[in-house]
Amino acid sequence: MRPKGGATVQHWLYASNCAVAPAWAGPTVEALVAHAALRNAECGLSGALLFTGQHFIQALEGPATALAQMRSTICDDVRHTHIMTLAEGTLPHRRFDGWALAYAGASVYLADQVRTAMADGAPALLSLLQAFARPLPGANPGCGQHRAT
Amino acid sequence: MGEINVAQRTVHIVDSDALHRRDLAQLIRQQGLDCHPFAASADLADALGYLPAGCVLLAWRTPQPPAQATPIAGEEEGPGPMVRAVLSQRPEMAVIVMAVSPTIPQVVQALRAGAVDFLEMPVQADALRPVLEHGFSILPARVAQQQRVGQATALTTQLTPREQEVLRGVVAGLTNRAIAERLRIGVRTVEMHRGNIMQKLQMDNLAALIRFAVFTGVLDQGLDAA
Ligand SMILES: Cc1cc2nc3c(=O)[nH]c(=O)nc-3n(C[C@H](O)[C@H](O)[C@H](O)COP(=O)(O)O)c2cc1C
């Protein structure tokens, strides 16, 4: 859980198509998120997952070996197809505090935004994921906001 | 002409801009839907108690900054509070936020606050239709969920404070002995409370009781308060 990166943090950003029937997608994602919350903390991975009903977008970052292992596990997962790497490499520091489900839902607007962001490339998607992963304003005192919760 | 083909579907609108509100109401009625337009959130809030479940379109408009206002103050303002205000009164409503040239943080804030979708203003018919279809497709499940929560919560209020404490202990996985020690009562008394709880909540096994307790949020009140 501790995002203590040292000098080398590897990262991977990908998009994929959900292969699970719509009726099962909700419970599937729920189970997946619960599982990932435990596993990612164990192996020092942080990041975020976004699910629009059709697409998964996931950012993962952490130690090189842990990330490589998780990456091959995820790539073998039959619950999604057409895994497309959008960005990968070394980062000076982590971009996510921990592991988070950014969004899971069927917002028509967000699905459109994701499609546009996929065409615009990794930076647009990363900022979308980061915006979701950020703590709610007001939930955290001491970030310059004097709004009591 | 893609009508949404179920009668009696209602869309509530809140928009301070009279012109946009009128156009939007017209678009909605053209799709064969019922429409209740409101000019202000306060008007909707007054009516929320008796409005039929439906989609709620909330226009988020940046207030014109007063001439001498500090520019940073409004930075973090967004549609979140407006969404939460509706959902706190009517959690089953499918809230859709509308904004002129929304930013990603605004959209994210709305969705995280519980909005089911988002629209750009001025709202176009092509964009409106799939978003309302989405809203109405999830509405029945939301209504059903809300009814279950309501019934469950009504049952919980029949428990005495002591029974609620015992229930929290049971759900936290404590043995009868541990609960008895915590509450400084006898083990027999705990057993009696457990029996009463099962009866009042109409449960016949522990698994069902725990599912119920998690569902109604008995857990959220914490055990240490006891
Ligand atoms: C889109 C998607 C994202 C996933 N992300 C993660 C993740 O971040 N962490 C994780 O442990 N598993 C993730 N999984 C699940 C893995 O593919 C795999 O099922 C799981 O790690 C197997 O765990 P096990 O070896 O402990 O059974 C993801 C699966 C999918 C379809």
Side-chain angles (χ1 to χ4, degrees):
Chain A
M1 194 64 186
R2 235 155 293 135
K4 193 171 177 295
T8 51
V9 179
Q10 291 292 313
H11 83 117
W12 178 43
L13 175 73
Y14 73 90
S16 63
N17 292 354
C18 180
V20 179
W24 292 106
T28 302
V29 171
E30 239 169 72
L32 192 157
V33 165
H35 176 85
L38 294 173
R39 291 278 294 135
N40 293 2
E42 273 169 21
C43 44
L45 295 172
S46 45
L49 175 74
L50 186 148
F51 176 58
T52 65
Q54 291 150 37
H55 293 291
F56 290 108
I57 310 284
Q58 187 173 25
L60 271 178
E61 55 189 21
T65 10
L67 182 65
Q69 266 167 17
M70 184 58 72
R71 182 172 171 167
S72 77
T73 310
I74 289 176
C75 285
D76 287 342
D77 199 308
V78 296
R79 291 172 289 187
H80 60 171
T81 58
H82 297 88
I83 297 157
M84 181 169 76
T85 294
L86 298 162
E88 61 188 315
T90 310
L91 291 175
H93 49 77
R94 288 179 191 255
R95 292 194 267 220
F96 296 87
D97 284 340
W99 197 84
L101 173 67
Y103 174 81
S107 164
V108 176
Y109 183 86
L110 194 67
D112 271 357
Q113 293 293 303
V114 167
R115 271 191 290 275
T116 311
M118 281 168 75
D120 289 353
L125 282 170
L126 267 177
S127 57
L128 193 63
L129 281 173
Q130 283 177 310
F132 270 111
R134 209 167 289 151
L136 288 170
N140 177 6
C143 52
Q145 281 280 305
H146 41 245
R147 189 180 305 159
T149 319
Chain B
M1 288 280 152
E3 269 189 17
I4 298 176
N5 53 357
V6 173
Q8 299 301 347
R9 290 183 161 188
T10 312
V11 180
H12 314 290
I13 305 175
V14 179
D15 189 354
S16 57
D17 183 310
L19 221 64
H20 186 259
R21 189 172 68 238
R22 194 198 60 197
D23 290 349
L24 186 57
Q26 201 177 346
L27 273 183
I28 288 166
R29 293 191 176 114
Q30 275 168 4
Q31 297 193 19
L33 304 169
D34 253 359
C35 182
H36 296 156
F38 297 91
S41 301
D43 300 339
L44 175 74
D46 287 344
L48 263 182
Y50 56 80
L51 288 176
C55 290
V56 182
L57 297 179
L58 297 177
W60 190 72
R61 296 183 181 276
T62 331
Q64 287 300 324
Q68 77 282 43
T70 39
I72 319 114
E75 266 300 286
E76 287 290 303
E77 296 299 318
M82 184 177 83
V83 174
R84 277 189 287 272
V86 173
L87 292 176
S88 67
Q89 265 184 282
R90 294 290 296 270
E92 79 278 25
M93 293 274 196
V95 174
I96 295 153
V97 173
M98 310 179 289
V100 179
S101 338
T103 62
I104 285 182
Q106 284 165 1
V107 175
V108 167
Q109 194 187 111
L111 295 175
R112 288 182 68 182
V116 301
D117 225 319
F118 208 97
L119 281 166
E120 261 176 66
M121 293 194 291
V123 173
Q124 309 294 320
D126 296 354
L128 179 64
R129 200 170 298 125
V131 165
L132 287 182
E133 266 170 30
H134 169 217
F136 283 116
S137 73
I138 59 176
L139 198 61
R142 291 173 72 96
V143 170
Q145 165 78 358
Q146 195 44 38
Q147 276 164 353
R148 284 196 298 270
V149 171
Q151 284 162 0
T153 311
L155 283 177
T156 317
T157 59
Q158 294 175 16
L159 300 181
T160 65
R162 186 32 61 93
E163 283 165 354
Q164 291 185 23
E165 286 169 343
V166 171
L167 176 56
R168 263 179 247 145
V170 172
V171 171
L174 300 182
T175 59
N176 285 354
R177 175 165 301 280
I179 295 171
E181 276 168 18
R182 276 203 186 214
L183 301 180
R184 299 202 171 83
I185 54 179
V187 177
R188 281 284 162 76
T189 316
V190 173
E191 282 166 8
M192 180 198 72
H193 284 310
R194 280 182 71 151
N196 290 344
I197 292 167
M198 300 293 262
Q199 209 167 36
K200 284 189 182 175
L201 299 182
Q202 301 157 20
M203 302 286 155
D204 49 17
N205 66 67
L206 185 63
L209 177 67
I210 289 175
R211 239 179 292 128
F212 171 91
V214 171
F215 181 66
T216 52
V218 172
L219 274 178
D220 302 345
Q221 297 156 39
L223 189 67
D224 300 332

